[in-house]
Amino acid sequence: MTQQIPSTEPELAGVRNFRDVGGLPTVDGRRVRQGVLFRSGHLAHATEEDAVFLDSLGLHTIFDFRNAADQRLEGPDVELPGVRNVNLPLTDPADGAEFWKMVRDGDIDQLRTILSDGKAANRMITSYRTIIKERTAEHSRVLRALAEDSVPALMHCAAGKDRAGLSIAVTLLALGVEREAIVTDYLESNAKHRRYKVHRSSSSTSAYSPEVMELLSPLFDARAEYLTAAFETIEETWGTVEVYLEQGLGVTPEIRERLRERLLD
């Protein structure tokens, strides 16, 4: 059983799913350093108190994996003085726009059509696989930036679960973190206080009926099968994590060693 360090995370009023990734163990007995790598949901609704806390972290870079549609819906991140903001959309702005409109606006029959009988979970699995296979340039840029100068860093998307979750997972793979520990950290996004608040346009009670919420739940859950699909895609496409990192992402052993120097105790 992977041993976790006690949580010292703050309760942020306007930022969901924030946590320090520090403390996770590597296969060679080291640990991710505290205070150098953070993850969260978007920062658009951060309160003044949240901003003061985030400022206290001494962040060098915030990686925002949201696309233009996300940013229109939620707003821009709160500005933190002296922090570099890097927007690297991990999904095409138009990809699934109609789908997500139906998620927010559709009636029960429409939702059944697009989400029932495992279709919602299958969509998530397909998305994870696609991001791993097609977004190698973005993941390469993140790892190279972290190796060069970009720590402490915060990675986020909208909910801090999928796109940020995958980018954190790729980073942890590059650091040699135990696979079980990567999955355990990913599943932390299911904690009630972390979960993304589902927004439906209708104010009627039926918009949030038990059936609707059950249909939507695969989209807003962190499920081990999703992350496992990403790992399987790496192995099916490149054979090993090492080949994925070096040939898929262009992350050489020298870059990995610089990453470890910056991010591991």
Side-chain angles (χ1 to χ4, degrees):
M1 190 73 177
T2 301
Q3 186 177 4
Q4 300 291 314
I5 61 165
S7 173
T8 56
E9 67 188 54
E11 287 292 333
L12 300 178
V15 180
R16 308 286 287 188
N17 207 4
F18 174 89
R19 57 192 181 275
D20 187 337
V21 184
L24 297 181
T26 64
V27 293
D28 62 357
R30 300 172 73 181
R31 286 189 180 272
V32 179
R33 188 171 297 146
Q34 295 281 347
V36 295
L37 185 59
F38 304 92
R39 57 180 295 174
S40 74
H42 69 77
L43 310 181
H45 301 159
T47 64
E48 286 187 23
E49 291 79 9
D50 294 341
V52 168
F53 169 78
L54 293 168
D55 186 55
S56 76
L57 300 176
L59 295 171
H60 180 289
T61 301
I62 293 172
F63 294 99
D64 180 357
F65 301 119
R66 296 179 300 161
N67 58 43
D70 295 321
Q71 293 181 344
R72 281 194 300 272
L73 180 69
E74 296 142 357
D77 281 345
V78 65
E79 289 191 17
L80 300 175
V83 179
R84 181 176 67 166
N85 289 276
V86 177
N87 180 223
L88 283 176
L90 283 181
T91 50
D92 187 290
D95 180 39
E98 287 303 312
F99 171 85
W100 287 104
K101 186 176 188 305
M102 204 175 296
V103 167
R104 294 188 177 96
D105 304 340
D107 62 27
I108 188 66
D109 289 332
Q110 290 174 311
L111 294 179
R112 287 185 189 125
T113 299
I114 64 171
L115 301 176
S116 65
D117 300 322
K119 288 195 283 288
N122 287 338
R123 183 182 180 88
M124 297 301 295
I125 288 170
T126 298
S127 174
Y128 275 52
R129 288 183 175 276
T130 299
I131 289 174
I132 288 294
K133 289 179 74 171
E134 298 183 1
R135 298 298 176 148
T136 51
E138 288 85 348
H139 286 137
S140 174
R141 183 174 168 187
V142 169
L143 292 181
R144 287 169 176 272
L146 292 175
E148 289 167 10
D149 62 4
S150 298
V151 294
L154 169 66
M155 299 186 191
H156 80 79
C157 49
K161 173 179 74 78
D162 302 310
R163 290 164 289 184
L166 277 176
S167 296
I168 287 287
V170 168
T171 302
L172 296 176
L173 285 175
L175 292 172
V177 171
E178 293 177 2
R179 189 77 61 92
E180 180 186 350
I182 298 174
V183 175
T184 298
D185 172 70
Y186 167 77
L187 294 176
E188 287 288 328
S189 292
N190 286 325
K192 186 175 181 181
H193 69 289
R194 300 187 191 280
R195 290 179 69 93
Y196 185 75
K197 292 181 179 179
V198 181
H199 297 291
R200 298 267 289 145
S201 59
S202 173
S203 59
S204 70
T205 54
S206 62
Y208 294 90
S209 70
E211 183 181 1
V212 166
M213 300 313 290
E214 185 176 349
L215 286 166
L216 293 175
S217 68
L219 305 176
F220 298 99
D221 287 347
R223 297 188 178 184
E225 64 187 290
Y226 302 163
L227 196 56
T228 297
F231 293 150
E232 288 174 349
T233 301
I234 289 173
E235 286 151 7
E236 290 162 5
T237 308
W238 289 277
T240 67
V241 168
E242 287 68 27
V243 174
Y244 163 66
L245 291 168
E246 192 156 3
Q247 296 184 10
L249 305 187
V251 175
T252 63
E254 292 76 19
I255 294 173
R256 289 187 71 185
E257 187 54 38
R258 290 207 301 274
L259 270 173
R260 291 191 184 103
E261 288 172 4
R262 286 187 176 276
L263 297 173
L264 297 181
D265 282 329

